[in-house]
Amino acid sequence: LMKAYLILEDGHVFEGVSFGAEKEVISEFVFNTSMTGYTEILTDPSYAGQSVVMTYPLIGNYGVSYKDQEAAHPFVEGFVVHELSRLGSNFRMNMNLNDYMIENNIPGIQGVDTRAITKIIRQHGCMNGMITTQKYNLDEVLDKIKAFKVEGVVQRCTCDAPYKLGRGDFHVALYDFGAK
């Protein structure tokens, strides 16, 4: 198991264990209090440019089903959980959460106090942070974290062309400004 660190722009550092893709990411950090629906959260375009902290203590226990995706691919930058279930158990499952995150190049950290992180974010608002497995100089990375700006998410989330869903007698046009 590889050590990982979550560093928030206010100087809080949380030590845990890496999962998913082995890469460093700087993004905005937000939280989600859902007990289920992590596949939907990972693929929700409204999370583009952000890393999500899950407050529910065990994530990954039913694996990932492609049918639960809200988009064709994930949009989150990083994923933070208290405990990752390495084995998924669900007849609809296509793969476990760790493999899905590796396949989609999303780093994660587990074994951290997600509720403490959530309290910080709730009190101060979403803030920038970093997930890394590298040794770091806190002053240097804090400058880098504070300088981060979320950019280009509209282009990443916009479809290239109109598309049809299903068949029927009615035609409905949807301008997606965050439709779920």
Side-chain angles (χ1 to χ4, degrees):
L1 299 175
M2 186 183 314
K3 278 188 182 179
Y5 306 92
L6 188 163
I7 306 163
L8 294 175
E9 71 178 280
D10 68 353
H12 278 93
V13 178
F14 297 86
E15 185 178 318
V17 176
S18 174
F19 73 98
E22 289 184 26
K23 76 174 199 177
E24 183 173 280
V25 69
I26 297 176
S27 64
E28 270 186 353
F29 278 73
V30 297
F31 64 88
N32 188 295
T33 60
S34 298
M35 293 172 59
T36 61
Y38 51 83
T39 304
E40 292 87 345
I41 291 164
L42 290 167
T43 57
D44 184 340
S46 70
Y47 286 120
Q50 298 177 324
S51 292
V52 179
V53 178
M54 298 297 292
T55 60
Y56 192 73
L58 179 64
I59 301 294
N61 56 330
Y62 56 85
V64 172
S65 170
Y66 297 141
K67 291 181 180 181
D68 293 339
Q69 295 184 128
E70 290 200 4
H73 59 84
F75 286 93
V76 300
E77 299 295 325
F79 205 45
V80 182
V81 302
H82 177 71
E83 182 181 350
L84 173 71
S85 176
R86 294 243 177 222
L87 299 173
S89 179
N90 184 328
F91 70 97
R92 297 174 62 241
M93 176 179 128
N94 295 102
M95 67 176 57
N96 69 44
L97 179 56
N98 186 62
D99 290 345
Y100 182 78
M101 289 180 55
I102 291 169
E103 183 176 278
N104 289 283
N105 201 28
I106 303 167
I109 182 172
Q110 69 164 321
V112 293
D113 187 343
T114 56
R115 292 180 185 201
I117 298 165
T118 298
K119 285 181 180 179
I120 294 165
I121 295 170
R122 189 177 63 207
Q123 187 173 24
H124 301 288
C126 69
M127 63 175 64
N128 292 346
M130 171 190 278
I131 296 174
T132 185
T133 57
Q134 305 299 313
K135 292 187 190 249
Y136 59 88
N137 174 300
L138 189 59
D139 292 329
E140 288 175 14
V141 296
L142 284 179
D143 289 341
K144 199 171 156 183
I145 291 168
K146 288 176 185 178
F148 175 79
K149 301 257 185 269
V150 176
E151 296 177 331
V153 293
V154 172
Q155 293 82 3
R156 284 181 28 209
C157 297
T158 301
C159 63
D160 296 333
Y163 59 92
K164 290 184 178 186
L165 296 174
R167 296 177 293 184
D169 296 332
F170 300 98
H171 297 278
V172 176
L174 171 66
Y175 287 97
D176 186 352
F177 298 105
K180 299 220 180 231

